[in-house]
Amino acid sequence: MRLSHFYLPTQKETPSDAQIASHRLMLKAGMVYQSSAGIYTWLPLGLRVLRKIENIINEEMDAAGCQEVLMPTIQSAELWQKSGRLDSYGKEMLKFKDRHDRELLYGPTNEELITEVFSQHIKSYRDIPKNLYQIQWKFRDEIRPRFGVMRGREFLMKDAYSFDIDYEGAKKSYWRMYQTYLKIFKRMGLTAIPVRADSGAIGGDMSHEFQILAPAGESSLYYEVAFESLDFDDPNVMDEVVRLYAAVDEKHDPQSCPVPPHQLKQSKGIEVGHIFYFGSKYSEPLGAKVMTPSGQLVNVEMGSYGIGVSRLVGAIIEANFDGEGIKWPDPVAPFQVGIVNAKTHDPKAVAFADAVYEKLKEAGVETLYDDTDERPGAKFANMDLIGLPWQVIVGAKAVEKGIIEIKRRSDGTRQELDLTSFINQLAA
Ligand code: P5A
């Protein structure tokens, strides 16, 4: 993509109302535009990151045997009357009426709807277990939307729902999602700490939150130091993760804590995922029953599993930035490489930079090419702000010797290479 064609409305001024780094950086880097309180337009750069995150989630959910669906954002209030949540959900739910005076709502979550969809077609133990998921916008009329996309009113969530014949099956589904979540966050370059949690408005009696450690987090937690040295690529890591201690501040009682204080750390955390087991809380009122092998009709056993997809964009920035801007981890970067031509007035340098761009494109590398007439200093600052993992700088040496300068955004290291070696290095 040539920057001269790309819609990238970066800002020089630091937005005054943005309190945390990710919010400031997302506005400055032209990733999002605030349309109203807690409601954002995703601009091309931000949307590319959102899509990267969605793809990782899709791949891992599919690998775990789940199937993607897409439910509407608008739901009938009638369904929520049956589950009893229409009134109990409270003011966070946005309700309105259609022209026939029927009450509708913008879904804050989808337990009711998916239970209804499921119960229309699934009647027998032979058809389950199933885990159906979607990535869809939700609306919660938060009293205090803040921190940009971290606590929005309209936000993108991955929500999955599992259906099993009995408690044993439901527990298996729950732990499979637990493990899948560790993989998903790991692939985004994040360490997520699973913390036992309350079920709140979703309900049920087993629940874990997945917290990313970051000073800007809204939760405060205690966790065992050993979390930091876990090898999440090891398939047996599960046993250890579950054994380790982690608790949110309000739940942490130093008297009864099984871990001595020197093995504990305290940190702020960002909740990027939350999973629930709630048995028949929705299947019973909504009549979702299945036949067991012995011919009995039982309420289907359920759980639900959420990931804050749009929140993750902010959370990843909170874990990866410096004074100059964002430092995207490779797997979620909007482009892998940014080309800066530092000699825009030299036709030979322009021809060289154009050729670098074409070759990177041919090699299938996602590249943003700053082909504008800005002065070099402004171009470098802009590249650091938007945080692409690799910068390719075309300067005097490129024209003279065919050598480009490569800067790694994460640690600032620089090397001089020819283009083919760089492409090989990227491939490796
Ligand atoms: C689980 C899936 C649920 O809604 N029902 C379906 C369950 N869980 S949850 O914890 O309430 O939300 C899941 C994740 O969504 C993110 N999230 C938000 N992101 C941005 N702005 C918000 N206002 C917001 N509220 C929730 C969180 O990451 C949460 O873990």
Side-chain angles (χ1 to χ4, degrees):
M1 179 67 68
R2 284 176 181 265
L3 187 58
S4 56
H5 293 276
F6 194 52
Y7 184 57
L8 185 68
T10 52
Q11 291 174 31
K12 291 218 171 54
E13 294 76 40
T14 298
S16 58
D17 55 336
Q19 302 165 40
I20 61 170
S22 57
H23 189 192
R24 276 196 298 275
L25 289 169
M26 286 181 76
L27 294 172
K28 279 188 82 174
M31 292 177 64
V32 290
Y33 168 77
Q34 185 178 324
S35 293
S36 39
I39 301 179
Y40 289 85
T41 294
W42 288 79
L43 301 174
L45 191 75
L47 188 58
R48 291 180 74 99
V49 178
L50 202 60
R51 294 280 185 253
K52 289 275 168 82
I53 294 174
E54 288 181 44
N55 283 340
I56 292 176
I57 295 175
N58 280 136
E59 282 176 22
E60 293 300 333
M61 291 299 289
D62 294 350
C66 310
Q67 290 161 64
E68 191 173 19
V69 296
L70 188 58
M71 288 178 269
T73 52
I74 308 292
Q75 305 179 22
S76 146
E78 216 177 296
L79 201 52
W80 286 66
Q81 200 98 55
K82 287 188 195 160
S83 73
R85 277 210 290 186
L86 189 60
D87 298 320
S88 71
Y89 205 93
K91 288 196 165 169
E92 281 187 15
M93 186 191 281
L94 179 66
K95 294 178 218 163
F96 42 90
K97 286 187 174 161
D98 68 9
R99 62 167 73 197
H100 306 293
D101 226 25
R102 279 189 284 254
E103 211 175 353
L104 299 172
L105 55 94
Y106 194 120
T109 176
N110 286 50
E111 279 79 6
E112 284 80 354
L113 195 49
I114 195 78
T115 306
E116 183 192 57
V117 170
F118 170 88
S119 67
Q120 299 306 306
H121 305 286
I122 305 281
K123 307 280 183 200
S124 152
Y125 70 95
R126 288 190 200 89
D127 305 321
I128 52 178
K130 284 268 176 308
N131 186 316
L132 304 177
Y133 79 97
Q134 66 169 352
I135 297 180
Q136 178 62 294
W137 294 91
K138 305 285 186 285
F139 193 92
R140 293 182 185 174
D141 202 353
E142 300 273 350
I143 187 160
R144 225 153 55 100
R146 56 187 180 146
F147 302 153
V149 299
M150 296 266 248
R151 183 163 294 281
R153 293 200 295 165
E154 190 181 41
F155 61 97
L156 191 59
M157 191 201 287
K158 185 285 295 181
D159 42 326
Y161 305 87
S162 66
F163 302 89
D164 283 274
I165 193 83
D166 55 17
Y167 177 64
E168 284 311 307
K171 245 185 13 187
K172 256 193 221 154
S173 297
Y174 183 92
W175 291 108
R176 185 174 304 124
M177 280 297 103
Y178 181 105
Q179 196 174 14
T180 301
Y181 274 34
L182 294 176
K183 278 195 206 156
I184 288 174
F185 299 128
K186 167 84 204 225
R187 276 188 62 184
M188 296 171 190
L190 299 169
T191 300
I193 297 197
V195 184
R196 240 172 253 128
D198 282 338
S199 304
I202 309 296
D205 46 23
M206 180 160 61
S207 174
H208 283 88
E209 288 169 3
F210 290 77
Q211 299 272 354
I212 299 302
L213 304 179
E218 289 187 282
S219 330
S220 183
L221 54 132
Y222 287 87
Y223 64 96
E224 227 175 311
V225 195
F227 267 116
E228 292 176 358
S229 50
L230 288 180
D231 174 10
F232 286 98
D233 290 329
D234 174 357
N236 297 318
V237 73
M238 266 283 281
D239 302 339
E240 203 179 350
V241 179
V242 179
R243 235 179 4 84
L244 293 176
Y245 178 83
V248 288
D249 214 354
E250 312 86 71
K251 294 278 179 61
H252 174 70
D253 173 13
Q255 304 305 323
S256 62
C257 178
V259 179
H262 70 274
Q263 284 177 26
L264 279 183
K265 274 195 167 177
Q266 192 182 13
S267 173
K268 294 282 185 194
I270 301 169
E271 183 204 308
V272 290
H274 201 158
I275 61 176
F276 305 81
Y277 159 74
F278 45 72
S280 59
K281 178 171 189 239
Y282 300 95
S283 58
E284 193 189 337
L286 294 167
K289 290 186 191 304
V290 276
M291 190 79 77
T292 66
S294 61
Q296 248 185 314
L297 263 185
V298 298
N299 296 317
V300 70
E301 282 277 313
M302 291 178 62
S304 74
Y305 314 90
I307 291 182
V309 180
S310 46
R311 174 177 288 185
L312 266 169
V313 179
I316 292 170
I317 295 175
E318 288 299 333
N320 300 279
F321 73 96
D322 64 13
E324 317 314 316
I326 305 166
K327 304 199 277 187
W328 291 115
D330 302 60
V332 295
F335 297 91
Q336 292 309 306
V337 174
I339 305 173
V340 174
N341 177 9
K343 294 174 80 62
T344 29
H345 300 297
D346 177 347
K348 280 191 189 148
V350 173
F352 191 92
D354 283 356
V356 169
Y357 175 55
E358 290 304 325
K359 283 197 189 124
L360 284 170
K361 264 207 306 192
E362 257 167 50
V365 180
E366 294 170 302
T367 305
L368 183 64
Y369 170 23
D370 188 346
D371 59 343
T372 65
D373 286 336
E374 276 285 356
R375 56 192 176 78
K379 286 187 175 184
F380 293 134
N382 201 45
M383 274 298 168
D384 280 350
L385 171 64
I386 66 172
L388 309 183
W390 299 98
Q391 296 173 15
V392 169
I393 299 147
V394 174
K397 275 197 187 154
V399 180
E400 289 157 20
K401 299 182 192 147
I403 297 287
I404 47 177
E405 189 184 2
I406 310 293
K407 176 175 157 186
R408 181 77 170 145
R409 178 67 181 94
S410 58
D411 58 10
T413 50
R414 289 168 189 270
Q415 49 182 155
E416 291 190 335
L417 278 180
D418 63 280
L419 182 61
T420 313
S421 314
F422 175 57
I423 291 177
N424 291 341
Q425 190 176 314
L426 282 180

